[in-house]
Structures are given as C-alpha cells and as structure tokens.
C-alpha cells in the first residue's frame, strides 16, 4: 500500500520595528525566519527604506509569508519588494497565504509600495492586511495585481481573495474585500470587474490633505478607473490591458500622493 507524503511548504516571517532617534528613522528590532528577508538599501533622499525579499522566488498552494511592520512615533519609511511576487499553480485545494500587519504610531508616515503580484493559471492566494493607525499617523498604500502573462499563458481558473482592515485607535475607518475566481476568466471580462483588462492597481491615501488630490488624480487615471475621497481618505483604482501601460500612470500617481517623492529605486531595476 502506497502512503502519501506531505510536500514541504514554504514559510517566511519578518517582524521589524522602527524608532525616531535624533531626527532620523532607524531600525530598532528585526526578526527574520524562513524564506522572508528584509534589506535596507542606502539612499540619498534622507528617508528609511526597507526591501522585502521572498528567497523562494514565488509562492504556491500551502506557502505562507507574514510581514509585520511596527513604526514608532515620528517615523517615516517606505517598504517595497525586491521583485514582483509570483503566485504559481496550486495543487488540489491548497492556498498560498500572505498576512500583512502594519502598526503606525503618532505623527508617523508609512508608504507601503510593493511591486506587482502576478497570478498564474490555477493559482490560489489569500492576502489579509491589518493596519493600526494612531492619531496623526499617515498611510500611502499601493497594491497591483496582474492576472496572468498574456505572452506566456491565458489565465482560466484561479482564486484570489484580498481583505484590508484599517483602524484608527481601534475603530475601523476603511475596509476592502476583493474576491475573484475560481472561474477567473469569466470575472475578467465582466464589465463590473475588469471589462477584459488584465491588471488592476489600488491606491489608498490616509492623510489630512488626502482630499486635495482628487482632481489631479482623476486627470491622470482618465476613463480607465476612478477616484473617491472623503473624511481624510483618498481611494483610487486603475485598470489596463498590460502592466507597462498602467505603470507609467501609476508612477505619476504615487509621486503626486507621496509629496513629490519618487517611487523606490528598485522599481526600475
């Protein structure tokens, strides 16, 4: 009788905390486990930058990564990824999981700007983001999803679930729930979803001046998306047929919402 053997799955976890020392944001604590790593490239722009790395090169069903970022009072930082996160075909009913926990203390600002996530055919991903904001804390968040690679394969079946819960002083101020699949090819052509497009990018700014950007952002997005702003929040979405076309507008949006700051340099590598 042949016995089944459970396949080894990838796990990774990073927990990092930042603090304010003599006018600068510096590393306070860092914990790394498994395939998750965090690097801190130097820059000449005077802010703290962290680059998240998945050393396994991608994810499949059963894999799990946890990113835990804690920002102390009066800190400013940008976090991005070394490359696009690739979600490959899952076996059976297994699901890849990404858990993101962000804590931003008073008078601090976090720019969460990972590079795109690519879903391949028959992949399955559940991503959960929990954000805790203190008074006067600001957040700029951008997440981009690419559904397949047109030149490599068509994406017919896949599962993607994305949940955001953002609180200020333990009170929910923003929540998002996005669910595609399993017949994802049908979802992509539906007019209320992507209308035949293959890329979607979501941006959220929580800051006192967030509502001031609506008009300029709307002009950049055009008809391929939309923008809403209310109560110190701005939410923008863009769709496109390919990421290269969307990326040009996405960079303009981030630079505008990031007080004129550039996107992370690693985006151009």
């Amino acid at each position: 009788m042949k016995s089944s053997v459970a396949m080894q799955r990838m796990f990774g976890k990073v927990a990092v905390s930042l603090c304010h020392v003599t006018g600068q944001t510096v590393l306070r604590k860092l914990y790394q486990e498994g395939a998750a790593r965090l690097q801190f490239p130097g820059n000449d722009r005077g802010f703290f930058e962290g680059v998240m790395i998945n050393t396994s090169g991608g994810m499949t069903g059963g894999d799990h990564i946890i990113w835990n970022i804690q920002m102390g009072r009066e800190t400013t930082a940008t976090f991005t990824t070394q490359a696009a996160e690739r979600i490959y075909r899952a076996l059976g009913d297994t699901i890849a999981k990404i858990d993101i926990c962000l804590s931003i203390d008073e008078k601090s600002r976090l720019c969460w700007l990972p590079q795109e996530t690519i879903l391949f055919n028959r992949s399955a991903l559940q991503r959960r983001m929990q954000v805790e904001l203190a008074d006067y804390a600001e957040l700029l968040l951008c997440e981009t999803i690419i559904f397949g690679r047109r030149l490599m394969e068509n994406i017919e079946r896949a599962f993607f679930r994305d949940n955001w819960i953002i609180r200020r002083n333990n009170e929910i101020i923003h929540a998002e729930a996005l669910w595609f699949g399993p017949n994802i090819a049908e979802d992509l052509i539906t007019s209320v979803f992507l209308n035949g497009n293959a890329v979607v990018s979501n941006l959220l700014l929580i800051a006192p001046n967030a509502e001031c950007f609506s008009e300029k952002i709307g002009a950049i997005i055009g008809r391929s998306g939309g923008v809403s702003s209310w109560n110190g929040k701005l939410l923008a979405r863009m769709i496109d047929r390919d990421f290269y076309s969307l990326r040009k507008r996405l960079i303009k949006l981030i630079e505008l919402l990031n007080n004129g700051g550039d996107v992370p340099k690693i985006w151009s590598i």
Side-chain angles (χ1 to χ4, degrees), residues 16 18 27 29-30 32 38-42 48-51 79:
V16 61
L18 309 178
L27 181 66
K29 292 183 179 179
L30 174 63
Q32 301 181 128
L38 194 61
Q39 298 292 323
F40 309 100
F48 189 95
E49 183 172 286
V51 176
F79 282 83

Side-chain angles (χ1 to χ4, degrees), residues 12-250:
K13 180 179 180 179
V14 162
V16 61
S17 63
L18 309 178
C19 63
H20 178 96
V21 177
T22 61
Q24 292 185 327
T25 299
V26 298
L27 181 66
R28 183 172 180 267
K29 292 183 179 179
L30 174 63
Y31 171 84
Q32 301 181 128
E33 179 181 352
R37 291 289 183 270
L38 194 61
Q39 298 292 323
F40 309 100
N43 64 72
D44 55 1
R45 293 174 286 176
F47 65 85
F48 189 95
E49 183 172 286
V51 176
M52 299 174 287
I53 301 171
N54 174 5
T55 61
S56 70
M59 300 182 69
T60 186
D63 293 348
H64 189 193
I65 280 189
I66 300 171
W67 303 106
N68 189 322
I69 312 295
Q70 294 185 344
M71 298 185 59
R73 182 184 174 93
E74 298 183 9
T75 55
T76 302
T78 296
F79 282 83
T80 187
T81 53
Q82 183 186 39
E85 186 65 90
R86 294 167 172 82
I87 313 300
Y88 296 112
R89 177 177 179 173
L91 297 178
D93 296 328
T94 58
I95 297 175
K97 296 181 180 180
I98 300 176
D99 289 314
I100 302 165
C101 301
L102 310 175
S103 176
I104 310 170
D105 207 343
E106 291 185 13
K107 299 182 180 179
S108 296
R109 180 182 174 95
L110 171 62
C111 297
W112 182 261
L113 305 175
Q115 299 193 63
E116 63 276 14
T117 298
I118 305 172
L119 300 180
F120 287 87
N121 196 35
R122 298 189 176 275
S123 62
L125 173 64
Q126 176 179 291
R127 184 170 61 192
R128 295 177 297 186
M129 180 180 295
Q130 299 275 347
V131 183
E132 297 286 347
L133 297 171
D135 288 330
Y136 310 110
E138 299 181 7
L139 172 69
L140 173 59
L141 186 157
C142 176
E143 290 281 1
T144 300
I145 302 294
I146 301 176
F147 296 92
R149 283 281 180 89
R150 291 183 178 274
L151 298 180
M152 297 175 62
E153 63 173 3
N154 293 322
I155 184 167
E156 300 292 338
R157 291 184 62 84
F159 174 83
F160 175 59
R161 187 170 185 175
D162 197 19
N163 290 293
W164 301 0
I165 299 291
I166 301 174
R167 297 179 175 88
R168 191 185 293 277
N169 293 325
N170 296 319
E171 179 181 347
I172 295 177
I173 62 171
H174 190 81
E176 294 254 342
L178 183 64
W179 195 334
F180 287 94
N183 297 315
I184 204 163
E186 298 177 6
D187 294 339
L188 296 180
I189 63 174
T190 305
S191 58
V192 296
F193 283 96
L194 292 189
N195 197 28
N197 291 278
V199 187
V200 58
S201 187
N202 297 313
L203 294 95
L204 175 67
L205 175 65
I206 299 177
N209 63 339
E211 297 166 74
C212 301
F213 296 103
S214 290
E215 185 174 343
K216 292 182 179 179
I217 290 232
I220 296 173
I221 293 176
R223 295 184 177 181
S224 60
V227 57
S228 298
S229 60
W230 71 106
N231 296 336
K233 297 187 296 181
L234 182 145
L235 178 66
R237 287 192 174 93
M238 289 192 301
I239 58 175
D240 214 313
R241 299 191 66 83
D242 65 84
F243 179 61
Y244 297 102
S245 299
L246 181 140
R247 188 184 182 101
K248 297 176 183 178
R249 289 178 293 143
L250 181 61

